[in-house]
Amino acid sequence: MNVNVTVDIFSGVGSLLYSMILPIVWQGQTVGKYVMGIQIVKTDGRKLGIGAMLMRVLVANILYGITLYILMITSIIMVLVRKDKRAVHDFLAGTRVVKKSW
């Protein structure tokens, strides 16, 4: 196996785990969300779990790829025009991003 392919695989898996696991462990935040003072929360008030993050990250990215990123463009437009700023992946996962209440 080519070294570049191996590095790409580890990088992709690491990025996926970071964006799915860290928000569960770190109360809805990644490092970037922490710096910006925002967090991911469930719309129904339940605790953020692996199922929601799988839908939000993995399934959404698969759907974005299948639709040739048309859904991603749709998500950007939704965030720009919707009052609640929810994107396609938020609807899939039942989540929203809010300002962190310290």
Side-chain angles (χ1 to χ4, degrees), residues 2-45:
N2 187 334
V3 172
N4 289 335
V5 172
T6 305
V7 169
D8 287 345
I9 290 170
F10 279 112
S11 175
V13 169
S15 175
L16 189 65
L17 290 175
Y18 169 83
S19 58
M20 283 191 337
I21 302 300
L22 193 58
I24 295 168
V25 176
W26 224 14
Q27 298 160 354
Q29 294 183 299
T30 58
V31 173
K33 283 179 176 51
Y34 177 82
V35 169
M36 297 303 296
I38 57 178
Q39 71 184 121
I40 305 164
V41 297
K42 293 283 289 173
T43 55
D44 61 9

Side-chain angles (χ1 to χ4, degrees), residues 44-101:
D44 61 9
R46 290 185 297 149
K47 186 176 177 183
L48 193 61
I50 192 70
M53 292 311 297
L54 276 170
M55 292 298 284
R56 185 178 165 85
V57 176
L58 187 61
V59 173
N61 282 317
I62 290 169
L63 289 176
Y64 291 156
I66 289 172
T67 62
L68 304 176
Y69 295 93
I70 292 170
L71 277 181
M72 183 176 283
I73 294 166
T74 303
S75 285
I76 292 167
I77 293 168
M78 289 171 69
V79 169
L80 291 173
V81 301
R82 290 182 57 88
K83 187 176 180 176
D84 64 3
K85 306 294 185 197
R86 290 178 72 200
V88 170
H89 55 267
D90 288 310
F91 282 96
L92 286 171
T95 59
R96 62 189 173 113
V97 176
V98 298
K99 288 202 177 278
K100 172 82 172 163
S101 58

